[in-house]
Amino acid sequence: MFSWLGKTASSCLSPTGRYAPMSKDDEQGSGWEDDALLWSKDLEKHSHGEFSFAVVQANAVLEDQSQVETGRHATFVGVYDGHGGPEASRYISDHLFNHLIIISHRKDPGLAQENREMSEDILKSAFSETENGFLTLVRRAYAIRPVLAAIGSCCLVGVIWKRMLYVANLGDSRAVMGCLDRSNRIVAEQLTRDHNASMEEIRKELTNLHPEDSQIVVMKQGVWRIKGIIQVSRSIGDAYLKRPEFALDPSFPRFHLPEPIQRPVLRADPSIVTRRISGNDKFLIFASDGLWEFLTNQEAVEIVHNNQRAGIARRLLVTALERAGRIRQMPYHEIKKLDQGVRRHVHDDISIVVVFIDHDMLDGDEAAAPQLSVRGFVDAVGPSNFNFS
């Protein structure tokens, strides 16, 4: 799975997965090339433009999963930020996109593929099927591996379908659009809502939904947490905070609740934004919260706007790592020497996909764009079954 680790510096993965020499500019850059825990795709094509992809591992086991699926008329992006373990994010990566395809076919079984439509209902159903599937897996394994009930994942999905954009989110991964304003300056528009207890509106929402529970949100070690345990209010998984049958006993002190829950504490219904892509919309940044810990929305879009496309996701990632190092008084060349797990004390797993929108392709012939399925970090590239388009 990680067979690429330890390759020599001054090389990167080409679209075929082979190593290709870097440009002179990159060779003289920040020295990311010998970071064995950083993976990137400089630039690939999708139906409406190009995309750049980068991932870095910090945990002992990578808990982030990510994917891009390109079709003839549509593009799918998924960023899944796991917590407690990798099982939920891996499950989402293996199932959510497939549910989307199956449900879209089920909705319009008589239509030709090119006439099918995307909708918020299809997205919601795909999330629901994924949640139910993972909870079924937890139920089947609960007797022999109860800790699966404490594993969950944020889930951020974007679909570009012709001139429409659909973004669905659970948790605090974030999608940001880079747009030009009337003065032709690049500005950031956050498309997603952070479902995190650090946000006052989320704390109010939880308090209103659980008026009988004075401990629904509490401050613990300087951080607002739901039931004193978790920061995100929506996720796939985290079964012990959704169904009383998955309660964990005191042998799991981190996840044990003194009183059983009467109804779900966390939710799995995504926030969804739908918008028509305008001529001022230039690119999208999809990223797990590890990026936004160190970069503001505006800083991120300015970096993308002011630099060449090739390798831009990696540039964002390295910028975040350098800032993490400055906070911990540890330069990036020292961070790279840290092992998985130890590195988590400096930064989180981070996944970034930058999707450029080329407007001359929105109404054009997308047949030239390859139908690819790209999985972050594992360097799995193959044909996509994004055939509802």
Short mmCIF file of all heavy atoms in Angstrom, two decimals, residues 46 109 140-141 147-148 153 186 219 234 277 285 322 324-325 386:
data_model
loop_
_atom_site.label_atom_id
_atom_site.label_comp_id
_atom_site.label_asym_id
_atom_site.label_seq_id
_atom_site.Cartn_x
_atom_site.Cartn_y
_atom_site.Cartn_z
N HIS A 46 -10.18 16.90 -15.59
CA HIS A 46 -11.54 16.44 -15.33
C HIS A 46 -12.45 17.05 -16.39
O HIS A 46 -11.98 17.80 -17.27
CB HIS A 46 -11.98 16.79 -13.90
CG HIS A 46 -12.18 18.24 -13.64
ND1 HIS A 46 -13.43 18.84 -13.69
CD2 HIS A 46 -11.32 19.23 -13.32
CE1 HIS A 46 -13.31 20.12 -13.41
NE2 HIS A 46 -12.04 20.38 -13.17
N PRO A 109 -34.65 5.23 -14.05
CA PRO A 109 -34.21 4.01 -14.73
C PRO A 109 -34.45 4.01 -16.23
O PRO A 109 -33.76 3.32 -16.97
CB PRO A 109 -35.03 2.92 -14.04
CG PRO A 109 -36.23 3.63 -13.49
CD PRO A 109 -35.75 4.99 -13.11
N ARG A 140 -22.58 -5.90 13.35
CA ARG A 140 -22.13 -7.28 13.12
C ARG A 140 -20.84 -7.58 13.88
O ARG A 140 -20.61 -8.73 14.29
CB ARG A 140 -21.92 -7.52 11.63
CG ARG A 140 -23.22 -7.56 10.83
CD ARG A 140 -22.95 -7.61 9.33
NE ARG A 140 -24.18 -7.71 8.57
CZ ARG A 140 -24.27 -7.58 7.25
NH1 ARG A 140 -23.16 -7.35 6.55
NH2 ARG A 140 -25.43 -7.69 6.64
N ALA A 141 -19.99 -6.56 14.06
CA ALA A 141 -18.70 -6.79 14.71
C ALA A 141 -18.69 -6.41 16.18
O ALA A 141 -17.68 -6.62 16.86
CB ALA A 141 -17.62 -5.99 13.97
N VAL A 147 -15.05 -1.45 19.99
CA VAL A 147 -14.46 -0.13 19.78
C VAL A 147 -14.81 0.45 18.41
O VAL A 147 -14.71 1.67 18.19
CB VAL A 147 -12.94 -0.18 19.97
CG1 VAL A 147 -12.26 -0.82 18.77
CG2 VAL A 147 -12.37 1.22 20.23
N LEU A 148 -15.27 -0.38 17.46
CA LEU A 148 -15.72 0.14 16.17
C LEU A 148 -16.86 1.14 16.35
O LEU A 148 -17.04 2.03 15.51
CB LEU A 148 -16.20 -1.00 15.26
CG LEU A 148 -15.15 -1.72 14.42
CD1 LEU A 148 -15.81 -2.84 13.62
CD2 LEU A 148 -14.45 -0.76 13.48
N SER A 153 -16.23 9.46 10.97
CA SER A 153 -15.54 10.27 9.96
C SER A 153 -16.38 11.46 9.54
O SER A 153 -17.60 11.34 9.39
CB SER A 153 -15.22 9.42 8.72
OG SER A 153 -14.54 10.18 7.75
N ILE A 186 -9.35 38.24 -6.42
CA ILE A 186 -9.80 36.92 -5.98
C ILE A 186 -10.31 37.01 -4.55
O ILE A 186 -9.67 37.62 -3.68
CB ILE A 186 -8.67 35.88 -6.11
CG1 ILE A 186 -9.26 34.46 -6.08
CG2 ILE A 186 -7.60 36.06 -5.06
CD1 ILE A 186 -10.03 34.08 -7.32
N MET A 219 -17.00 22.50 28.16
CA MET A 219 -15.61 22.90 27.92
C MET A 219 -14.70 21.89 28.63
O MET A 219 -14.86 21.63 29.82
CB MET A 219 -15.37 24.30 28.45
CG MET A 219 -13.95 24.80 28.29
SD MET A 219 -13.50 25.26 26.61
CE MET A 219 -14.33 26.86 26.47
N ARG A 234 -21.71 16.37 13.45
CA ARG A 234 -22.28 15.49 12.41
C ARG A 234 -21.16 14.62 11.85
O ARG A 234 -20.02 15.06 11.68
CB ARG A 234 -22.91 16.30 11.28
CG ARG A 234 -24.01 17.24 11.74
CD ARG A 234 -24.81 17.79 10.57
NE ARG A 234 -25.62 18.92 10.98
CZ ARG A 234 -26.57 19.48 10.23
NH1 ARG A 234 -26.82 18.99 9.03
NH2 ARG A 234 -27.26 20.52 10.67
N ILE A 277 -22.82 27.48 -11.40
CA ILE A 277 -21.46 28.02 -11.54
C ILE A 277 -21.51 29.26 -12.43
O ILE A 277 -22.03 29.22 -13.55
CB ILE A 277 -20.52 26.96 -12.12
CG1 ILE A 277 -20.41 25.77 -11.15
CG2 ILE A 277 -19.14 27.54 -12.40
CD1 ILE A 277 -19.64 24.60 -11.70
N ILE A 285 -11.52 24.67 -3.56
CA ILE A 285 -10.58 23.98 -2.68
C ILE A 285 -11.40 23.11 -1.74
O ILE A 285 -12.25 23.61 -0.98
CB ILE A 285 -9.73 24.95 -1.85
CG1 ILE A 285 -8.98 25.93 -2.76
CG2 ILE A 285 -8.74 24.17 -0.97
CD1 ILE A 285 -8.27 27.04 -1.99
N GLU A 322 4.65 24.28 6.98
CA GLU A 322 5.64 25.26 7.42
C GLU A 322 5.09 26.13 8.54
O GLU A 322 5.80 26.46 9.49
CB GLU A 322 6.07 26.12 6.23
CG GLU A 322 6.94 25.35 5.23
CD GLU A 322 7.22 26.13 3.96
OE1 GLU A 322 6.47 27.10 3.67
OE2 GLU A 322 8.19 25.78 3.26
N ALA A 324 2.71 25.19 10.65
CA ALA A 324 2.65 24.32 11.82
C ALA A 324 4.00 24.25 12.51
O ALA A 324 4.11 24.28 13.75
CB ALA A 324 2.19 22.92 11.42
N GLY A 325 5.05 24.18 11.70
CA GLY A 325 6.40 24.13 12.25
C GLY A 325 6.78 25.40 12.99
O GLY A 325 7.41 25.34 14.05
N PHE A 386 -18.05 6.40 -13.24
CA PHE A 386 -18.92 7.57 -13.16
C PHE A 386 -19.74 7.64 -14.45
O PHE A 386 -19.58 8.53 -15.27
CB PHE A 386 -18.08 8.84 -13.01
CG PHE A 386 -18.81 9.96 -12.31
CD1 PHE A 386 -18.12 11.06 -11.86
CD2 PHE A 386 -20.18 9.93 -12.10
CE1 PHE A 386 -18.77 12.12 -11.22
CE2 PHE A 386 -20.84 10.96 -11.47
CZ PHE A 386 -20.13 12.06 -11.02
#
